[in-house]
Amino acid sequence: VKTNLRPHIKTHKTPILAHKQIQAGAIGICCAKLGEAEVMVAGGIKDILIANQIVGDQKMSRLVGLAHHCNIMIAVDDPKNVADISSAAQASGAIVRMLVEVNVGMNRCGVEPGEPTLALVREIEKSPNLEFAGLMGYEGHLVFCADYQERAAKTKKAMQLLTDTVELVESADIPVEIVSAAGTGTYNITAEIPRITEIQAGSYIFMDGRYRSILKDFDCALSLLTTVISRPNRNRLVVDAGMKSITNEFGPPEIIGIQGTKPVRLSEEHGTVYVEGDATQLRPGDKVDLLPSHGDTTINLHNHYFAVRDGILEAVWEIAGRGKFR
Ligand SMILES: Cc1ncc(COP(=O)(O)O)c(C=O)c1O
C-alpha cells in the first residue's frame, strides 16, 4: 500500500458505509443492537430497523429516546415486551414501530407463523404509542446452504411460511406494510418473492471466506494486512495476527494472492502458516493480506477501515459501530 502519494488522507468518523448504502438506494439501515442504532442516529441516518428484541427498562428508555430522533422499528416476539415498550413509549410521548418476528425455521427468536403471529399483531394494534409496521422472518439457517438449488428451494419454502402469515394478517383487515427477510446467502432468492418488501443482507458489502465459498456475486473487499514476523524454517512462517485480530469460528483465515500457502493456524497473537513454492520466499517484514472466514466478528475487533483503491490508501474510516453490542 502506497501512502505517500496522497498527503491528505481523510479520516471519517461517521458511519460512512451506511451513508454509502443509502446513497446507492437503500431506504434505511438494519442494525442488530440498540448501541449500533445510536451510532447510526448520531451519524445522521434517519430510517433504522433493529432486527432484534429490545428488553429491559434501560434499553427501552434508550429506544424511546431514539424514537424522537429517527424513524425506528424493532422486532418483537412477546406480548409482555410489547406492553412494556408501549408503556415506555407513552411515558416519553414517542411512537415505536414494530415488526413481529416470525420463526421461519431458524428456531432462534420469533413467534410461530399463522395464528400465534396474528395474536401478537393484535396486541400491538391495541397498544398505545405503538405502530404495527409488518412482519420479519430471517432464514438464517439457510444462508450458508452450499448448493444453490437446494438453498433456493428451502428458502422459498421458509418464505412461504412468512407470506402465508402476511395473508392471514391482512385477511383480518390489518395492513402489512413491511415484510423483511434475507441475508447475503439468500438475497437474490428472497428478493424475488413478490410479497417481500425489504432485505436485511449485510455481509455482501465486504464478503468473507465462508460466503465466498458459496456465492460468487460479490468480490471480497475485506482483508487484514499483517507482517511476517518469523521464518523458523523453510516451510513455516508466522504473521503478527492471531485470534485477537481475526476470528476463527467459521474456519481459519487464508493468505490472499500468494501461491503455496495453507490456511492460517491462529493462537492469540500469532498466525502460523505452512508454505511451499513461491511462498517460501517470504521474509520477516514482508506484508501479507489475510482473508477472514467471518467478516462480522473480525470487523468488531478493529477501530478503523483503511480504504485502498488500486494500491493507494484513500481514506481511513472509523468503525463507528465497533463494540456497540449493548
Ligand atoms: C436477523 C438478521 N438479519 C440479517 C442478517 C444479515 O445477514 P448476512 O450477514 O448474511 O448478510 C443477520 C446476520 O446475522 C441477522 O441475524
Side-chain angles (χ1 to χ4, degrees):
V1 177
K2 296 177 198 157
T3 54
N4 55 343
L5 300 181
R6 301 253 166 113
H8 303 296
I9 292 165
K10 278 192 187 162
T11 301
H12 299 270
K13 284 189 168 289
T14 56
I16 192 152
L17 289 175
H19 282 290
K20 284 184 185 295
Q21 289 179 84
I22 287 172
Q23 280 161 15
I27 58 163
I29 287 296
C30 176
C31 299
K33 293 295 174 75
L34 199 48
E36 294 171 345
E38 287 166 343
V39 167
M40 295 297 159
V41 172
I45 304 291
K46 293 286 177 208
D47 198 317
I48 297 171
L49 164 63
I50 304 177
N52 223 328
Q53 284 64 19
I54 304 295
V55 176
D57 291 345
Q58 287 182 351
K59 284 190 180 154
M60 282 187 291
S61 82
R62 284 163 61 199
L63 169 68
V64 297
L66 274 187
H68 287 287
H69 299 283
C70 68
N71 179 8
I72 195 143
M73 281 193 308
I74 60 163
V76 287
D77 64 359
D78 179 76
K80 167 82 166 57
N81 184 227
V82 167
D84 289 344
I85 293 174
S86 171
S87 304
Q90 281 178 80
S92 95
I95 301 288
V96 176
R97 304 180 78 211
M98 291 186 164
L99 297 183
V100 172
E101 181 168 0
V102 181
N103 178 15
V104 294
M106 188 184 184
N107 295 332
R108 192 171 65 179
C109 296
V111 195
E112 291 308 302
E115 291 296 338
T117 299
L118 178 57
L120 191 60
V121 171
R122 290 193 199 280
E123 289 298 317
I124 298 169
E125 285 279 280
K126 67 180 196 214
S127 304
N129 294 62
L130 301 184
E131 194 181 305
F132 169 67
L135 303 184
M136 154 180 155
Y138 177 54
E139 69 281 30
H141 57 307
L142 303 173
V143 293
F144 293 119
C145 182
D147 178 73
Y148 177 77
Q149 296 305 336
E150 186 185 344
R151 189 158 80 243
K154 288 183 169 168
T155 297
K156 284 176 191 159
K157 227 169 144 189
M159 287 301 108
Q160 191 73 47
L161 296 170
L162 186 62
T163 53
D164 284 352
T165 306
V166 171
E167 275 183 27
L168 178 73
V169 173
E170 289 188 329
S171 72
D173 271 342
I174 303 171
V176 180
E177 181 196 339
I178 291 168
V179 187
S180 187
T184 295
T186 52
Y187 84 98
N188 52 347
I189 305 162
T190 302
E192 292 297 316
I193 296 170
R195 200 55 189 84
I196 303 296
T197 65
E198 62 179 46
I199 61 168
Q200 304 177 0
S203 294
Y204 76 95
I205 200 159
F206 291 134
M207 293 296 285
D208 57 28
R210 188 168 185 200
Y211 262 134
R212 190 183 61 164
S213 68
I214 64 152
L215 193 68
K216 306 290 178 217
D217 304 15
F218 307 99
D219 287 339
C220 290
L222 185 75
S223 61
L224 183 71
L225 185 65
T226 67
T227 304
V228 177
I229 56 165
S230 175
R231 289 300 322 269
N233 65 36
R234 183 180 154 74
N235 295 111
R236 193 163 84 236
L237 69 77
V238 183
V239 295
D240 62 346
M243 292 174 201
K244 290 187 188 175
S245 317
I246 191 163
T247 59
N248 214 11
E249 71 279 352
F250 283 179
E254 284 173 33
I255 289 185
I256 303 171
I258 301 173
Q259 296 299 316
T261 60
K262 300 266 188 257
V264 183
R265 176 167 58 83
L266 300 180
S267 31
E268 283 94 332
E269 308 285 4
H270 301 81
T272 306
V273 193
Y274 286 89
V275 292
E276 53 195 28
D278 288 355
T280 59
Q281 306 298 319
L282 290 164
R283 290 287 167 265
D286 287 343
K287 302 284 185 192
V288 289
D289 276 314
L290 304 191
L291 174 70
S293 60
H294 193 190
D296 307 22
T297 49
T298 297
I299 291 163
N300 200 49
L301 298 172
H302 295 269
N303 291 325
H304 295 99
Y305 297 116
F306 297 89
V308 175
R309 195 198 311 262
D310 299 331
I312 297 172
L313 178 65
E314 288 197 1
V316 179
W317 299 335
E318 187 178 22
I319 304 181
R322 185 235 166 138
K324 301 291 191 292
F325 43 72
R326 294 198 306 149

